[in-house]
Amino acid sequence: MARMKSYGSQLFLPLSVLAILILVNLIKGSSYFSISIINGALYGNIPNILFGASELVILAIGMTLVTSSAGSQDLSVGVAATITSAVFVWVLLSAGKITWITILAAFLASCVVGILIGTFNGALVAALNVQPIVATLIVYTAGRSIAFLIDGKLSPILANNLTYEIGSEIPGVPIQTPIILTAVFVVLFAVLLRTTNLKLYSQSVGINQRAARLNGINPVRIKFLAFMIMGVCTAVAGFIAVTKAGRHDSVNLLKDIEMDAILAVAIGGSSLYGGKFSITGSIIGAYTIEVLNRTLLRLDVDPDAIKAFKAVFIIILMVIASPAVRELAGNGTKWVRDRLGGAVQIPTAIGEDAAVDPKSDISAKKEV
Amino acid sequence: MESTNTIKRRERVSDSNLLFAIAAVIFVLMYGFGILSFPRDFLQSQTFFDLFNLNAPLIIVTLGLSIVMVGGGIDISVGQVTALVTMCCAVFLQSRSGSVGGAMLLALGIGIAFGLLQGLLIAYLKIQPFIITLAGMFLASGLLTIIHKDPINVTMPSFVRLMDFQIVIPSLGTLNRLGRFIPLEIKPGTVVVLVLVVVLVILMNWSRFGRNLYAVGGNNQSALMLGINVQRTKFYSYVLSGLLSGIAGFVFIMTTGAGNVGNAYGFEIKAIAGSIIGGTMLIGGVGNLIGSPFGALTLLTINELIRADGVNSDFQAIASGMLLCVFIVLQNAVLRLRGTSSFKLALPGWLVPARRDR
C-alpha cells in the first residue's frame, strides 16, 4: 500500500513546502498574488517567479533525466550553458545582421555545441564508466575559460530589439517570452516522455543496470541519450539566460546554478542515486527554490546571508524526507492506527505524516 | 600450479597503490619536464617548497576529502568551512580578547562542529551526502558574510610573529639573479602538512578505523556483515574531514594573514580533482592518502608550468581540465584492463610493495 502511495507522497513534500512559503508571503503582505498590467504585459509576484526560474526549470528537467539513468549528477550544466550561449552570441554577432533567421541559426549552432558537450560527458560516463560527478568536473574546470576564449573576454552586448523581445516581452503578448519558451519546452519534454519509452528505460537502467541489460535495454545508449538531452537543455537555458541579461558575461552567467538544479531534483523527491524520477516534482522543486529566494529577500534578509537561511531550510527539508525519519513516522502512524482500532481513517501516505507533524509521531513512538 | 597462483596473487598491486604509483610517476615526470624547460625556476629548491608553503591549506583539505571519498561519501563543504574559519579567526584575533591559542581552538571547534553536524545527518539519518554537504557549504558561506564582509588584516603582534616565523635551511639555498644568496625558507604550514600526512597515512593503513573505512567504502553490505559499525565509521570520516578543514583554515590565515570573503574559493572542486588525480576513487574503497598531496601538487605544478611559460591565464583552467581528463581515462582504462586479467602490470619485482592491501 505504501508502495502505491509513494508516488503521491513524492509530490506531497515539494507541494507542501511551496504552500508554506506562499503562506509566509501572504502573512507578510496580502497583495502577494496581485497582478498588474503595465504596457500590456503582466507584472506581479507570480510572473516574476515564473520569469526568474525559467533557466532553472529547464536545467532541472535535464538533471532529473541524467540523475535517473546515470545515478549521479552533472556538475557542468551552468558552465556548459555559458559555453553554448557564448557560441550563440558569437554566431549572432559574426552574422552581422540580426534577424529571426540568424537567431534561429545561432540557436541551432549553440544546440549542436551543447550536444557535443553532452556527448563528451556521455562518452566518459557511458563508455568508460566514469562517475558522472567526476566526468563532468572536467568541463566544470575548463568551461568558463573556454567561454572566455570564444567571446574574446569582451562580454559582448546584445543590443537590439529582437533579442530583447526574446529576453523580456513581445509587444502585444501579455506574458513574458522566457515563460512561454519554458512552457513550450516543458510541453515538448512531456510529449517526448509520453510517446517514447525513455522514462521506463532510464528508470530501469538507474535501478539495476545489469537487469536492464539482460532485458535488452542498452544502458550505454540510454546514458548517452540522457547526456545529449542534457546538452540540449543547457543550450536552451543558455539561450534564455543570455537574452535575458542582454550581454554575455562569462564569469557570472548562470553561476552556481548546477547546485540549485541538483537541489531541485532532490526537493522534487527523486533519489539522487538514480532510478525512479518525477519530472513534475523537479519542476515544482525549481519553482520552490525561486520562491524561497524571493521570500527571503522579501523578509528583508541580507542578500549575502540568504545562503545560510537556504542551508537551514535544505537541512530541515532533508531531515523530514530522510529514510530514518520516514520509517519512524510510519511506525508512529501504525501505532496510532492500531490503538484506534481502524475506527478512524488516517491518511497513510508516509511522507505526508512526516511532513505534517514529525514530532508527535516521534513521541508516539517513544511511548511504545 | 596452485602455489604459483598464490604467489602471484600476493605480488599483485592493490588498486590503491597502483593508482598512487601512476600519480607519483606523472608528478615526477611533470616536474622533470619543468626542470628541463625552465631550469632557472624549477631547479630552485625554493620553488618546490613554495608549492607546499603557499598551498598547504589546499593539500590539507584534499587529505580530508580523500578520507571521506575512501568511505564512499563526498564532502563539498570543505572550501567554505575553511573560508569561514579564516574569517572567524581574523575577527577573533583582532578583537580585544584575541589570542593565538584561542584562535587555534576556535578553528578546530568550527571544523569539528561542521563535521559533527554533517556526519550525524549523513551517517545516522542516511541523507545523501552531496545534498547535506552542499547545505553545509551554503551555511558556511552565509555565516561568513554575516560575520564580516570586508577583508580584515590581522595586526596582532604575537600572531604576526607566528606568521613571519620560518624555518631557514641555508644548505639548500640558491643564488638569486643579482647573485645574492637566499637560504631556503620553510613555513610552518609545510610542517603541518608533513605531520598530517604521516599521521593520517598511519591512521588509514594500520588503525582499526582506517581498515574499517576501506571496507565500508568498498562494500557497505559486506562491511556490515563483517560486524563493522558502518554508521559510526562514516560518521568519524566526516568529523575528521571537518577537523582537517578547520586546521586548513588556520594554516590559511597563517599563510596570508587576512580574513576575506573570497578566501579558499573553489577549494572543494580543486580538492576533488586533486584526490582523483591522486588515485582516490569516488565510488569508495580505493585510495592511498600519500597520493592526495601528489594529486594536489600535480594540479599546482601544471599551473606553475603555464605561469612560467607566460601564456594566456585562461589556459591554466583548460590545462587543469585536460589533465583531469587524461587521468580519469587512464585510471579507468588501467582498472578495466586489470579486471579482465589479460593485463599484467610490468613492474619490476623490487618496485612491487610486498604488503597486500585489500
Side-chain angles (χ1 to χ4, degrees):
Chain A
M1 189 158 169
R3 202 157 272 277
M4 274 180 65
K5 287 268 182 184
S6 70
Y7 184 74
S9 72
Q10 207 176 41
L11 282 188
F12 184 82
L13 186 69
L15 277 178
S16 56
V17 171
L18 197 58
I20 292 168
L21 284 174
I22 289 173
L23 200 68
V24 169
N25 275 305
L26 281 177
I27 293 167
K28 174 80 180 155
S30 57
S31 61
Y32 190 64
F33 284 120
S34 69
I35 293 173
S36 55
I37 297 174
I38 304 168
N39 293 337
L42 294 174
Y43 281 94
N45 278 314
I46 292 174
N48 281 349
I49 290 162
L50 296 178
F51 179 78
S54 40
E55 305 102 319
L56 184 58
V57 168
I58 289 166
L59 289 178
I61 290 173
M63 188 70 85
T64 315
L65 200 63
V66 166
T67 301
S68 162
S69 60
S72 183
Q73 288 73 43
D74 184 345
L75 279 184
S76 70
V77 286
V79 174
T82 315
I83 298 176
T84 56
S85 57
V87 171
F88 171 75
V89 172
W90 178 65
V91 172
L92 199 59
L93 292 185
S94 51
K97 223 170 138 192
I98 297 179
T99 59
W100 286 111
I101 295 164
T102 52
I103 287 178
L104 191 67
F107 173 65
L108 287 179
S110 76
C111 276
V112 170
V113 172
I115 291 175
L116 278 179
I117 296 171
T119 315
F120 175 72
N121 287 335
L124 285 173
V125 171
L128 287 174
N129 262 331
V130 182
Q131 280 262 304
I133 290 186
V134 179
T136 52
L137 204 59
I138 297 169
V139 176
Y140 183 91
T141 315
R144 294 210 182 257
S145 297
I146 295 174
F148 255 137
L149 291 183
I150 293 171
D151 76 10
K153 282 197 177 185
L154 297 170
S155 1
I157 298 169
L158 285 175
N160 76 67
N161 244 344
L162 280 177
T163 50
Y164 173 77
E165 281 176 8
I166 295 170
S168 56
E169 77 251 340
I170 300 168
V173 181
I175 303 169
Q176 285 142 317
T177 328
I179 301 177
I180 301 173
L181 288 176
T182 312
V184 169
F185 187 86
V186 169
V187 168
L188 283 178
F189 204 84
V191 169
L192 178 76
L193 286 187
R194 290 268 158 190
T195 53
T196 62
N197 283 334
L198 188 62
K199 183 168 182 175
L200 182 67
Y201 283 8
S202 61
Q203 283 183 348
S204 47
V205 168
I207 290 168
N208 190 334
Q209 191 167 325
R210 280 178 66 88
R213 173 78 245 177
L214 292 175
N215 278 301
I217 301 168
N218 188 349
V220 173
R221 196 184 293 166
I222 295 293
K223 284 185 192 172
F224 238 113
L225 198 62
F227 273 95
M228 282 160 126
I229 292 172
M230 183 85 230
V232 177
C233 291
T234 54
V236 177
F239 170 70
I240 292 177
V242 81
T243 48
K244 251 187 194 177
R247 66 184 300 168
H248 187 267
D249 178 357
S250 290
V251 179
N252 291 319
L253 192 78
L254 294 177
K255 202 175 190 183
D256 290 340
I257 202 167
E258 51 277 342
M259 301 299 175
D260 277 347
I262 296 169
L263 195 56
V265 176
I267 292 177
S270 313
S271 163
L272 293 188
Y273 295 122
K276 295 207 91 158
F277 69 90
S278 153
I279 293 282
T280 325
S282 299
I283 294 172
I284 296 171
Y287 284 124
T288 308
I289 292 169
E290 183 72 20
V291 172
L292 175 67
N293 283 339
R294 284 172 189 266
T295 308
L296 289 173
L297 278 179
R298 221 170 118 88
L299 294 175
D300 298 327
V301 174
D302 181 16
D304 292 319
I306 278 187
K307 273 188 171 175
F309 287 88
K310 210 164 150 184
V312 173
F313 176 83
I314 298 168
I315 291 174
I316 293 173
L317 194 65
M318 286 296 128
V319 167
I320 291 171
S322 73
V325 173
R326 273 186 185 220
E327 200 181 320
L328 219 58
N331 287 343
T333 337
K334 194 161 165 271
W335 183 82
V336 172
R337 204 183 316 133
D338 289 348
R339 286 301 136 102
L340 295 173
V344 181
Q345 197 66 35
I346 295 169
T348 46
I350 298 164
E352 263 178 52
D353 294 304
V356 171
D357 202 354
K359 276 212 182 103
S360 74
D361 286 328
I362 293 164
S363 61
K365 163 85 175 158
K366 268 180 189 157
E367 280 168 36
V368 179
Chain B
M1 209 55 208
E2 200 68 24
S3 62
T4 50
N5 253 348
T6 48
I7 289 168
K8 250 183 196 166
R9 220 158 230 298
R10 178 164 287 186
E11 282 186 352
R12 220 179 127 111
V13 194
S14 73
D15 286 355
S16 304
N17 288 341
L18 176 64
L19 293 180
F20 159 67
I22 295 174
V25 166
I26 291 200
F27 171 69
V28 171
L29 284 181
M30 196 177 284
Y31 208 85
F33 174 74
I35 289 175
L36 286 181
S37 29
F38 307 102
R40 182 182 281 166
D41 295 328
F42 279 84
L43 261 185
Q44 290 180 5
S45 47
Q46 186 69 53
T47 310
F48 180 73
F49 279 97
D50 269 350
L51 283 177
F52 285 98
N53 283 346
L54 302 176
N55 301 300
L58 179 62
I59 298 172
I60 297 172
V61 162
T62 312
L63 284 171
L65 194 69
S66 297
I67 293 173
V68 172
M69 274 164 69
V70 165
I74 191 163
D75 185 351
I76 54 172
S77 70
V78 284
Q80 289 303 318
V81 173
T82 305
L84 177 66
V85 168
T86 62
M87 184 58 99
C88 287
C89 283
V91 170
F92 177 70
L93 285 168
Q94 284 304 84
S95 72
R96 210 168 296 155
S97 58
S99 70
V100 174
M104 260 180 217
L105 285 181
L106 183 70
L108 298 184
I110 294 172
I112 290 178
F114 268 87
L116 283 174
L117 176 71
Q118 292 175 163
L120 205 67
L121 292 172
I122 293 167
Y124 290 103
L125 288 183
K126 298 192 182 72
I127 311 177
Q128 294 152 343
F130 193 92
I131 291 296
I132 285 301
T133 52
L134 176 70
M137 177 180 150
F138 282 165
L139 187 63
S141 76
L143 286 178
L144 173 63
T145 46
I146 290 173
I147 287 169
H148 206 90
K149 270 186 205 163
D150 307 315
I152 315 176
N153 268 319
V154 180
T155 51
M156 191 187 157
S158 58
F159 183 77
V160 172
R161 231 175 295 133
L162 178 70
M163 220 173 82
D164 291 339
F165 175 75
Q166 288 171 334
I167 301 163
V168 180
I169 303 177
S171 58
L172 282 171
T174 40
L175 293 176
N176 70 357
R177 278 177 203 167
L178 298 173
R180 235 175 58 201
F181 185 76
I182 300 173
L184 177 70
E185 291 162 346
I186 297 176
K187 295 235 174 201
T190 311
V191 180
V192 174
V193 169
L194 294 178
V195 170
L196 279 178
V197 168
V198 171
V199 169
L200 291 175
V201 165
I202 291 173
L203 180 75
M204 290 298 279
N205 283 326
W206 288 288
S207 80
R208 177 179 288 238
F209 162 75
R211 304 319 300 165
N212 283 357
L213 193 62
Y214 274 102
V216 168
N219 191 332
N220 236 324
Q221 280 295 316
S222 45
L224 192 66
M225 285 173 186
L226 285 171
I228 294 171
N229 191 336
V230 173
Q231 293 184 331
R232 197 168 62 201
T233 311
K234 276 191 183 173
F235 174 67
Y236 285 158
S237 76
Y238 284 97
V239 174
L240 206 53
S241 157
L243 174 68
L244 287 172
S245 308
I247 296 175
F250 192 79
V251 171
F252 198 110
I253 197 160
M254 224 157 57
T255 318
T256 62
N260 188 353
V261 176
N263 273 355
Y265 180 78
F267 261 32
E268 52 278 343
I269 298 295
K270 280 184 201 159
I272 293 175
S275 293
I276 292 164
I277 293 175
T280 314
M281 294 193 83
L282 205 55
I283 42 171
V286 179
N288 187 332
L289 276 219
I290 312 177
S292 310
F294 273 104
L297 288 178
T298 309
L299 208 60
L300 296 166
T301 310
I302 199 164
N303 285 351
E304 199 72 21
L305 274 172
I306 287 169
R307 197 177 313 151
D309 202 26
V311 288
N312 187 343
S313 64
D314 285 333
F315 285 106
Q316 271 189 17
I318 296 175
S320 302
M322 272 163 59
L323 184 73
L324 202 57
C325 182
V326 167
F327 262 93
I328 290 167
V329 172
L330 191 71
Q331 288 180 355
N332 275 272
V334 168
L335 288 186
R336 183 176 276 204
L337 284 174
R338 275 166 71 90
T340 57
S341 78
S342 63
F343 169 81
K344 294 278 184 295
L345 189 72
L347 272 182
W350 53 271
L351 248 180
V352 179
R355 196 172 52 78
R356 213 174 68 202
D357 221 329
R358 293 197 310 116

